[in-house]
Amino acid sequence: MTAEHPLVVAGDDILLDEILRVAAAAGCEVERAPDLAAARGRWARAPLVVLDEEAASAPNRLLRRNKVLLVCKGAPTPVTWERAFNTGSEKVLSLPDEEGDLIGEFADVVDGPARDDGVVIGIIGGRGGAGASVLAAAVAYQAEKSGTGGLLVDCDPLGGGVDVLLAAERDRGPRWPELDLGGRVSMAALSEALPRKKYSTGSLSFVSYGREGRGPGPDAIEGVLNAGRRAGRTVVCDLPRYFGAETGTVIGLADLVVVVVPAELRACAAAKQVLARLEPHATRIGVAVRGPSPAGLIPQEIADAVGVPLITSMGRERSLSAALDRGEFVPRHRGHLATAATEVLAAARGNLAGASR
């Protein structure tokens, strides 16, 4: 994050209030000046300058610089464009119609340059009770533990809330009903607001459904996923088995979708129904097989039956269910779940590296 704040130069108090409100929505602190003369000492060093038309109407005797925006009320007029030229403004943004674009400009300052190592992973059950939520939490935990930064996103309104899975339902912080998001989101601002499950090795940020209230719309989910990706996070989404607009948004953005399939023939048949809905929208799909198989089937046979590549497999951990009931979700080091989570991360990261070549 830059040490300098954007500079807002505005003489119109009403428009100034609107600009400051947008900056606050992006989690961005700003410096203010009433006119260009007062802005002289901060003009060159500010990472972004936002002018209103009143400030831009005065003669500009300051040096030309990059990242100057002119904000106007309503549609820009020929005079607006003339003032933009005279002040060296790169863009003209009209409020309220282009508020999202202005949020994005402030968010760019807060978050810094977008990174190219962020990844989005969707995890979905091939049948009910397959263990997708547990694997999603484990992948996010392993990502945080590995230092890449994990973010667990609950996209299943009928899953009971990932905060319950993490034994963090009493932890303070907004759930989906309290998050008023749309369009561009700053990851730095989001991180400050979100609850974090604390572990001995660190903590994991999560976005969970609450016990009641509305869930996120596609725009809110897209904003969170893109914020995490730009910040270089590993964003792991716990997906429902039905295919709605919110699920479609995640599938379309995900670098990898993992279908968790118990090693049973009936689960394979159910998973194929799920895959039929995913395949037209997903970039890459793999399967995680959860054993053991009552019929002695090996993981590759399950993957072949489902018709997608095998990403990982995991056996039963006897102590896991009891640990979850006690509110102790920490995958055992080198246990089946931790190993599977690490292999999912490697597959997603490998896909990202392949796409960048």
Side-chain angles (χ1 to χ4, degrees), residues 85-106:
F85 176 78
N86 291 337
T87 54
S89 299
E90 296 179 356
K91 295 181 182 178
V92 174
L93 298 179
S94 172
L95 295 182
D97 291 347
E98 296 178 305
E99 178 177 308
D101 292 336
L102 185 56
I103 287 178
E105 295 289 345
F106 282 124

Side-chain angles (χ1 to χ4, degrees), residues 263-287:
E264 309 161 0
L265 290 178
R266 187 179 177 190
C268 293
K272 293 190 76 167
Q273 297 296 316
V274 173
L275 283 164
R277 292 166 173 78
L278 297 180
E279 286 175 329
H281 309 277
T283 301
R284 183 180 176 220
I285 305 175
V287 65

Side-chain angles (χ1 to χ4, degrees), residues 29 36 49 125 228 244 337:
E29 297 182 41
L36 290 174
V49 175
L337 182 59

Side-chain angles (χ1 to χ4, degrees), residues 11-252:
D12 184 325
D13 289 339
I14 295 176
L15 193 53
L16 172 62
D17 287 343
E18 286 297 296
I19 295 170
L20 295 180
R21 179 184 60 78
V22 171
C28 185
E29 297 182 41
V30 301
E31 295 185 81
R32 296 161 50 185
D35 52 44
L36 290 174
R40 182 177 299 277
R42 291 164 287 176
W43 176 266
R45 70 172 187 266
L48 172 71
V49 175
V50 179
L51 307 173
D52 74 348
E53 285 206 76
E54 185 171 327
S57 65
N60 181 18
R61 297 184 175 88
L62 302 174
L63 294 174
R64 293 292 177 118
R65 52 155 292 159
N66 296 326
K67 300 298 293 183
V68 178
L69 309 178
L70 178 59
V71 175
C72 63
K73 291 183 290 188
T77 66
V79 173
T80 306
W81 291 111
E82 181 180 346
R83 289 169 175 168
F85 176 78
N86 291 337
T87 54
S89 299
E90 296 179 356
K91 295 181 182 178
V92 174
L93 298 179
S94 172
L95 295 182
D97 291 347
E98 296 178 305
E99 178 177 308
D101 292 336
L102 185 56
I103 287 178
E105 295 289 345
F106 282 124
D108 280 341
V109 175
V110 174
D111 291 336
R115 294 174 54 174
D116 59 3
D117 56 346
V119 63
V120 175
I121 303 170
I123 300 185
I124 188 169
R127 68 153 169 80
S133 297
V134 173
L135 180 59
V139 172
Y141 171 81
Q142 290 297 119
E144 184 67 30
K145 184 179 176 183
S146 70
T148 62
L151 174 61
L152 179 61
V153 181
D154 187 358
C155 300
D156 187 355
L158 303 180
V162 297
D163 56 350
V164 176
L165 172 64
L166 298 175
E169 65 269 29
R170 293 185 177 85
D171 290 13
R172 299 181 62 182
R175 275 46 172 180
W176 277 124
E178 293 83 48
L179 284 173
D180 185 15
L181 301 174
R184 177 68 185 269
V185 179
S186 164
M187 191 64 230
L190 192 61
S191 293
E192 289 292 325
L194 290 179
R196 299 182 67 89
K197 171 64 177 180
K198 295 181 180 179
Y199 297 98
S200 60
T201 56
S203 58
L204 174 64
S205 296
F206 63 88
V207 189
S208 177
Y209 273 84
R211 307 292 83 76
E212 57 186 24
R214 61 179 175 80
D219 288 348
I221 289 179
E222 182 174 356
V224 170
L225 267 56
N226 282 333
R229 192 202 299 275
R230 282 193 307 271
R233 297 282 190 99
T234 298
V235 185
V236 186
C237 302
D238 179 25
L239 294 171
R241 293 180 65 243
Y242 66 85
F243 200 95
E246 295 80 6
T247 304
T249 297
V250 176
I251 298 302

Side-chain angles (χ1 to χ4, degrees), residues 289 297-305 308-310 313:
V289 176
L297 298 172
I298 64 173
Q300 188 59 58
E301 290 175 316
I302 298 295
D304 291 342
V308 293
L310 177 66
S313 62

